[in-house]
């Protein structure tokens, strides 16, 4: 007799959501987590703490730049860094304790420690071997290393160290203009650091809509971030308090050096599967270390599943959550499903950036005839009132059928607005369906309707 119907390894958004769903479906469930608190990278050292710092630094930015224009006079607040970190830690604590409460409520056992899988149906934690009919690996990811760059999490840091710096640096170099680089780069820039982002490619945020990339870079430059594009970082040399970053420009191979108080390495993440014993068990992985799974998230070993950052696909908490719910349903004999065509991506800078579905580049590549409906937040009354009129909504729809194929937003609350389009896409809606839906005035979401109108007879306010 197995102790459990299912044991989940890892309690990040993939793992904990999966565990709760398994328990809700009547399965005897345990979740193994070696960290002192539940919630994985996302809650402890990722999404949640970075959003706390983004929020606090945005408030400061508003006070410094926009309060006076609204008739709010007085000195802008100064930064008490220790207190700001305290606020962030408090937010983390509330969230991780929340998961602990949900585990208790749903009767999910938390097995504390680091797991390995000695054989199918067995999970070893310390000296103890637990048995389970099904095992779901949700072990997540870790920052990828960069040759020549040694991370000490004090001067040369990953996103983890960047959330715990001793003080706000005067000069910060960020390696990589991806999501992490831009979010944390914005935080420190708003808090007063001089931030230079070094990016290998010629555009920021790889894979995103080209127009959004350009607009985003322009806005971030205006906010004070500096960019060195088309540059490959060769090495960092750090002392206890400073670092030198050497990079080569791709166009002429010339070598340059930048000084920094802190270097943030944000050049991607890779699956974290250390110590699980995948090789001995014979679980197939890709050359990039991703666990290979079938449509039902089962690996090549029966009864062993994998979800989230340790398998293929975008490394996003919500993608992992969806896979967690779907895998739970599979294990319970139901038919879990994830629509990989409708997974939103959000960058929580200010303004926010959000996207779902296809980009124009991808549609062109596929020879798919499409039309574009675009609307600037300059024509949105609410955005103007809130000093948030930078950016636009762009909807891509099939040229013949008008079915929505994708959307790209840069602007206020883009990360929330995008879900209207996600729901529309789930229902196979046309741009006209959106355009015919009454949108409350004055809201940012009117910009979505206007972009939808722009796919047809044209928007009203531009
Ligand atoms: P990323 O893959 O988004 O961006 C890495 C960037 O580094 C790329 O633009 C790449 O061209 C550049 N790069 C690589 N090697 C370089 C070199 N030697 N010199 C200069 N530039 C170099 O990776 P990032 O930002 O580290 O994020 C990791 C993962 O975490 C991503 O999959 C991301 O989706 C996820 N994440 C998502 C968040 C969100 O949804 N808001 C927030 C934070 C992370």
């Amino acid at each position: 007799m197995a102790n459990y119907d299912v044991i989940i390894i890892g309690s990040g958004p993939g793992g904990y959501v999966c565990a709760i769903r398994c328990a809700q479906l009547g399965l005897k469930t345990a979740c193994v987590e070696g960290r002192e608190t539940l919630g994985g990278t996302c809650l402890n050292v990722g999404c949640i703490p970075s959003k706390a710092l983004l929020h606090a630094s945005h408030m400061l930015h508003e006070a410094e730049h926009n309060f006076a224009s609204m008739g709010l006079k007085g000195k802008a607040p100064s930064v008490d860094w220790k207190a700001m970190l305290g606020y962030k830690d408090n937010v983390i604590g509330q969230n991780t304790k929340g998961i602990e409460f949900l585990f208790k409520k749903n009767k999910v056992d938390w097995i504390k420690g680091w797991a390995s899988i000695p054989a199918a149906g067995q999970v070893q934690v310390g000296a103890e071997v637990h048995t389970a009919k099904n095992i779901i690996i949700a072990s997540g990811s870790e920052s990828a290393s960069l040759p020549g760059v040694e991370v000490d999490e004090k001067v040369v840091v990953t996103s983890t160290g960047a959330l715990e710096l001793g003080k706000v640096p005067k000069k910060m170099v960020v390696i990589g203009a991806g999501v992490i680089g831009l979010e944390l780069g914005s935080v420190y820039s708003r808090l007063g650091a001089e931030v230079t982002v070094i990016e290998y490619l010629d555009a920021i945020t790889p894979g995103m809509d080209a127009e959004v990339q350009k607009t985003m870079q322009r806005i971030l430059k205006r906010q004070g971030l500096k960019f060195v594009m088309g540059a490959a970082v060769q090495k960092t040399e750090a002392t206890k308090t400073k670092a030198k970053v050497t990079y080569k420009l791709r166009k002429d191979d010339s070598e340059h050096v930048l000084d920094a108080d802190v270097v943030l390495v944000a050049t991607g993440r890779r699956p974290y599967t250390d110590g699980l014993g995948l090789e001995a068990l014979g679980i197939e992985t890709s050359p990039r270390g991703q666990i290979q799974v079938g449509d039902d998230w089962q690996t090549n070993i029966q009864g062993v599943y994998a979800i989230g950052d340790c398998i293929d696909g975008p490394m996003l908490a919500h993608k992992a959550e969806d896979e967690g719910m779907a895998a739970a349903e599979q294990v319970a004999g139901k038919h879990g499903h994830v629509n990989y065509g409708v997974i939103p991506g959000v960058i929580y800078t200010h303004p926010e950036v959000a996207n779902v579905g296809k980009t124009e580049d991808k549609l062109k590549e596929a020879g798919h005839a499409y039309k574009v409906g675009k609307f600037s937040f300059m024509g949105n009354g609410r955005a103007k009132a809130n000093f948030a009129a930078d950016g636009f909504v762009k909807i891509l729809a099939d040229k013949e059928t008008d079915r929505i194929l994708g959307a790209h937003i840069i602007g206020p609350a883009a990360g929330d607005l995008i879900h209207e389009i996600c729901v529309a896409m789930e229902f196979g809606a046309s741009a006209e369906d959106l355009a015919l839906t009454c949108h409350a005035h004055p809201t940012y979401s009117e910009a979505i309707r206007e972009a939808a109108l722009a796919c047809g007879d044209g928007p009203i306010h531009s």
Side-chain angles (χ1 to χ4, degrees):
M1 261 287 277
N3 304 138
Y4 290 101
D5 292 316
V6 55
I7 295 181
I8 293 115
I9 300 176
S11 72
Y16 85 71
V17 167
C18 181
I20 291 170
R21 180 55 105 221
C22 284
Q24 286 172 341
L25 293 170
L27 302 173
K28 187 163 167 34
T29 308
C31 181
V32 189
E33 174 57 62
R35 245 183 233 277
E36 307 229 322
T37 45
L38 298 171
T41 300
C42 171
L43 270 67
N44 289 282
V45 287
C47 322
I48 298 298
S50 63
K51 259 78 271 172
L53 295 183
L54 277 157
H55 179 65
S57 60
H58 176 59
M59 291 293 110
L60 177 68
H61 177 94
E62 290 294 280
E64 285 172 344
H65 295 89
N66 294 328
F67 274 17
S69 324
M70 290 186 267
L72 298 171
K73 295 284 165 66
K75 241 174 70 190
S78 59
V79 177
D80 179 340
W81 180 235
K82 285 238 153 60
M84 198 180 282
L85 289 181
Y87 146 69
K88 174 212 65 166
D89 291 338
N90 184 28
V91 173
I92 295 174
Q94 285 176 36
N95 281 276
T96 54
K97 284 200 190 80
I99 309 298
E100 221 176 308
F101 163 78
L102 289 174
F103 271 14
K104 281 191 188 126
K105 184 177 162 199
N106 287 282
K107 301 195 171 43
V108 173
D109 288 347
W110 173 6
I111 303 174
K112 293 185 184 178
W114 301 101
S116 63
I117 312 173
Q122 294 183 8
V123 174
Q124 180 157 5
V125 182
E128 214 166 333
V129 176
H130 303 265
T131 55
K133 289 181 207 146
N134 299 284
I135 297 168
I136 300 179
I137 304 170
S139 53
S141 60
E142 62 179 351
S143 298
S145 55
L146 196 59
V149 175
E150 202 177 315
V151 170
D152 57 22
E153 295 296 11
K154 296 234 167 335
V155 174
V156 182
V157 300
T158 64
S159 51
T160 303
L163 297 166
E164 283 293 344
L165 295 180
K167 59 178 180 198
V168 176
K170 282 208 172 71
K171 277 191 182 178
M172 180 180 224
V173 168
V174 176
I175 312 176
V179 190
I180 292 180
L182 297 185
E183 286 186 2
L184 290 173
S186 304
V187 165
Y188 286 103
S189 166
R190 286 179 211 154
L191 294 178
E194 183 189 319
V195 177
T196 307
V197 183
I198 305 178
E199 168 56 46
Y200 181 80
L201 299 172
D202 296 320
I204 65 170
T205 55
M208 281 201 352
D209 176 86
E211 231 176 328
V212 169
Q213 289 176 327
K214 279 194 201 110
T215 309
M216 178 69 177
Q217 195 176 354
R218 186 171 41 76
I219 293 172
L220 290 175
K221 273 187 189 166
R222 209 173 60 213
Q223 291 176 3
L225 269 78
K226 291 184 186 150
F227 288 91
V228 181
M229 304 302 291
V233 167
Q234 308 291 302
K235 60 174 178 184
T236 54
E237 293 157 282
T239 64
K240 272 197 173 140
T241 52
K242 293 226 176 295
K244 282 188 186 307
V245 183
T246 308
Y247 65 88
K248 253 188 187 172
L249 285 181
R250 288 197 292 129
K251 62 176 182 209
D252 56 11
D253 244 12
S254 59
E255 206 167 88
H256 305 260
V257 179
L258 276 178
D259 290 321
D261 302 306
V262 169
V263 180
L264 166 62
V265 188
T267 51
R269 295 179 64 84
R270 64 180 186 89
Y272 178 72
T273 55
D274 292 1
L276 288 176
L278 299 186
E279 218 177 293
L281 197 61
I283 288 192
E284 285 168 11
T285 54
S286 74
R288 294 176 57 204
Q290 296 151 323
I291 298 173
Q292 305 288 285
V293 294
D295 290 345
D296 57 354
W297 298 277
Q298 196 159 196
T299 66
N300 59 313
I301 306 287
Q302 213 191 342
V304 181
Y305 296 72
I307 57 163
D309 282 10
C310 65
I311 68 169
D312 194 16
M315 289 184 168
L316 299 171
H318 43 283
K319 175 255 192 191
E321 286 180 36
D322 282 20
E323 288 175 345
M325 288 202 277
E329 279 160 23
Q330 290 291 348
V331 165
K334 295 172 176 279
H335 300 284
H337 170 74
V338 174
N339 181 358
Y340 287 101
V342 185
I343 294 186
V346 180
I347 308 182
Y348 299 88
T349 43
H350 194 85
E352 288 182 352
V353 173
N355 60 71
V356 65
K358 298 276 194 278
T359 59
E360 284 194 69
D361 284 345
K362 284 274 175 245
L363 290 170
K364 280 181 196 146
E365 235 173 82
H368 196 141
Y370 66 95
K371 54 188 172 175
V372 181
K374 204 176 141 192
F375 186 77
S376 163
F377 279 101
M378 287 302 280
N380 180 278
R382 183 73 179 277
K384 274 210 190 109
N386 293 4
F387 298 98
D390 264 339
F392 56 83
V393 177
K394 179 176 176 176
I395 294 176
L396 308 174
D398 186 285
K399 194 159 190 172
E400 291 300 315
T401 65
D402 196 37
R403 187 179 174 136
I404 301 166
L405 304 170
H408 305 274
I409 308 176
I410 174 164
D416 290 296
L417 293 180
I418 196 73
H419 296 96
E420 175 177 354
I421 314 256
C422 295
V423 173
M425 285 176 75
E426 278 288 350
F427 282 83
S430 64
E432 190 184 28
D433 289 325
L434 277 185
L436 289 174
T437 305
C438 183
H439 284 63
H441 175 76
T443 59
Y444 297 140
S445 69
E446 287 173 285
I448 302 246
R449 184 195 206 174
E450 293 270 18
L453 280 164
C455 287
D457 295 334
I460 303 295
H461 297 90
S462 78

